[in-house]
Amino acid sequence: MATVSIPAGTSALLLDIEGTTTPITFVKDILFPYIREHLEDYLSTHWEEDECKQDVHLLKKQIEEDMRQNRACPVHAVDQTVHTDEEKAIREVVDNVLWQMAADRKSTALKQLQGHMWRTAYASGRIKGEIYQDVIPSIKRWRGQGLKVYIYSSGSVEAQKLLFGYSVEGDVLELFDGHFDTSIGPKVDGKSYERIAERIGCPPEEITFLTDVTREAKAAEEAGVNVLVVVRPGNMELTDEERAHYNLITSFNQLELTGRV
Ligand SMILES: CSCCC(=O)C(=O)COP(=O)(O)O
Ligand SMILES: [Mg+2]
């Protein structure tokens, strides 16, 4: 297995989850089906709770934004502050959420609701966060070499903490120095990486971002962040051009920090 160097000046690693630390199949075959299966029940049970009301409100704001952008989407006009037909309202929210999921949207509104729904599944032991075997030993090694390690995923911070807090490797949350989600901005926008650099207090050139998605890699590069593209089984195929342009790794074990013990 060829080693790939991380520049000597690197002080922080920023990790994507799906397709990088975690198999895409875990998200597609376990996490997302759980949402589809429990969505209607979850909304009915929690409809009157503040958190659920905020989630529904955020979904409504997303729809308003989608309509402004002329995106066709199932609309819910639910306003829980006025009396409505609850069953009909829930049906509308379900339709919108399922539509967003079918399109694999990464909207903060969708991700927020999903994070809240997975709580019970993780806490009850029904779901355990999957992590590739090379991930945890590598993170421990990097931390031992003085690097900080952060997560940046489209999954909400709460969803990230559930995955690593209830993982197949136990609770490994203490290995992370912080978490970012799309509330800092979309992963395909360079500005998001500038904001993260500012937030963690280190220049973009000192950050190395690991992701499976080249649109994200491109955005990070635009911000001056060093990038590695992770190739895992089931990840999206890269074009020849992408293969030529990016440094690729198939395992975190390949990473070597130049100039560090
Ligand atoms: C970590 S929560 C579940 C995954 C998820 O919903 C998602 O959108 C993952 O996207 P990523 O940015 O980690 O590829
Ligand atoms: Mg990913």
Side-chain angles (χ1 to χ4, degrees), residues 123-143:
S124 67
R126 179 180 170 152
I127 290 181
K128 273 193 200 306
E130 280 183 31
I131 308 175
Y132 283 112
Q133 276 184 353
D134 51 283
V135 171
I136 299 301
S138 299
I139 294 177
K140 286 183 177 161
R141 181 162 42 87
W142 300 332
R143 289 177 63 87

Side-chain angles (χ1 to χ4, degrees), residues 233-254:
N235 283 8
M236 207 184 325
E237 281 292 319
L238 303 176
T239 64
D240 289 345
E241 204 181 319
E242 287 167 339
R243 288 188 164 275
H245 179 76
Y246 292 107
N247 279 321
L248 309 179
I249 55 166
T250 55
S251 162
F252 283 13
N253 290 335
Q254 284 173 266

Side-chain angles (χ1 to χ4, degrees), residues 16-20 187 211-213 216:
D16 163 67
I17 295 181
E18 184 186 358
T20 298
K187 292 175 80 184
T211 183
D212 58 317
V213 174
E216 296 172 6

